[in-house]
Amino acid sequence: MTGKVITHMTMSLDGFIADPNDDVGELFAWYDAGDTAVPTANETVGFHVDGADADLLADLTDNTGALVAGRRLFDITDGWGDQHPVGAPVVIVTHHPPDDAADRWPNTTFVDGVGSAITRAREIAGENNVIISSPTVIQQALDLDLVDEVCVSLVPVLFGEGIRYFGPLAHGHRLLSDPTVIQGRRVTHLRYVTVSRTGDA
């Protein structure tokens, strides 16, 4: 059995995952909007969410064997202290790994190119899933036809401007399945299976 490649990010109703200054604003409020405690692999991070949200998080994290992110997100989070909350090894897409990568982030793999990064993440994950959590990496992975499922945690807030979850697609429209909908508290989770590009046979 081979795992899937899944994109997952929290997004405003008008399509943004952060404001122009990389501030997520109200987007992550749902991680602390409920009574169900959800511990993570990073002892400095913990969530209290609605029961439905907890089920969604468990389904994503319990089956994740590797996470792929971009260098920008890595720098913003300082590499999650080399321990991402999802509890899986991290693969970072970058042309230039940090000079001190081996010393500061021994559990993080740095790979040049999205296709190569996802290939490496699949090797690490084995039969488990690969999660992509950076918008530019997601866009390129969709263009490369490497995404099996798109997951959006949709928050009822309008940003007006900022950094988008999705960007221009090199090969035209991408068709998705009807969504699986999970209603949480201050968030609605939408999960889509990728179907085909417009014009594909």
Side-chain angles (χ1 to χ4, degrees):
M1 180 179 177
T2 302
K4 298 179 290 185
V5 175
I6 301 171
T7 76
H8 178 240
M9 299 199 79
T10 297
M11 185 180 81
S12 70
L13 186 60
D14 51 350
F16 299 102
I17 55 96
D19 73 11
N21 298 313
D22 291 310
D23 188 341
V24 298
E26 303 87 350
L27 290 181
F28 286 0
W30 68 272
Y31 281 113
D32 196 35
D35 300 322
T36 302
V38 178
T40 75
N42 188 322
E43 62 182 18
T44 66
V45 179
F47 308 131
H48 287 83
V49 297
D50 178 83
D53 299 325
D55 291 342
L56 179 279
L57 289 173
D59 184 54
L60 287 176
T61 59
D62 290 352
N63 297 300
T64 297
L67 182 135
V68 178
R71 179 61 185 272
R72 179 176 180 176
L73 181 57
F74 174 85
D75 289 342
I76 290 171
T77 62
D78 195 29
W80 300 279
D82 204 38
Q83 184 62 65
H84 193 280
V86 79
V90 175
V91 177
I92 298 298
V93 181
T94 181
H95 297 302
H96 304 290
D99 293 335
D100 57 353
D103 295 326
R104 287 195 62 195
W105 296 284
N107 298 315
T108 302
T109 303
F110 298 89
V111 178
D112 189 356
V114 170
S116 298
I118 292 176
T119 296
R120 181 69 185 112
R122 278 188 174 278
E123 293 170 353
I124 293 170
E127 295 182 354
N128 291 321
N129 297 332
V130 171
I131 302 292
I132 309 175
S133 64
S134 287
T136 55
V137 177
I138 288 168
Q139 179 182 337
Q140 292 178 59
L142 285 167
D143 282 338
L144 293 169
D145 202 21
L146 296 175
V147 176
D148 300 305
E149 182 178 323
V150 174
C151 183
V152 180
S153 292
L154 189 66
V155 173
V157 62
L158 299 171
F159 270 28
E161 60 178 344
I163 301 167
R164 291 193 173 277
Y165 188 150
F166 304 105
L169 296 172
H171 304 292
H173 297 177
R174 169 61 94 172
L175 300 180
L176 307 174
S177 67
D178 290 335
T180 298
V181 181
I182 301 171
Q183 182 61 59
R185 184 173 297 171
R186 300 304 298 164
V187 64
T188 301
H189 308 284
L190 306 171
R191 301 184 71 165
Y192 304 87
V193 174
T194 57
V195 178
S196 67
R197 298 190 183 106
T198 298
D200 284 356

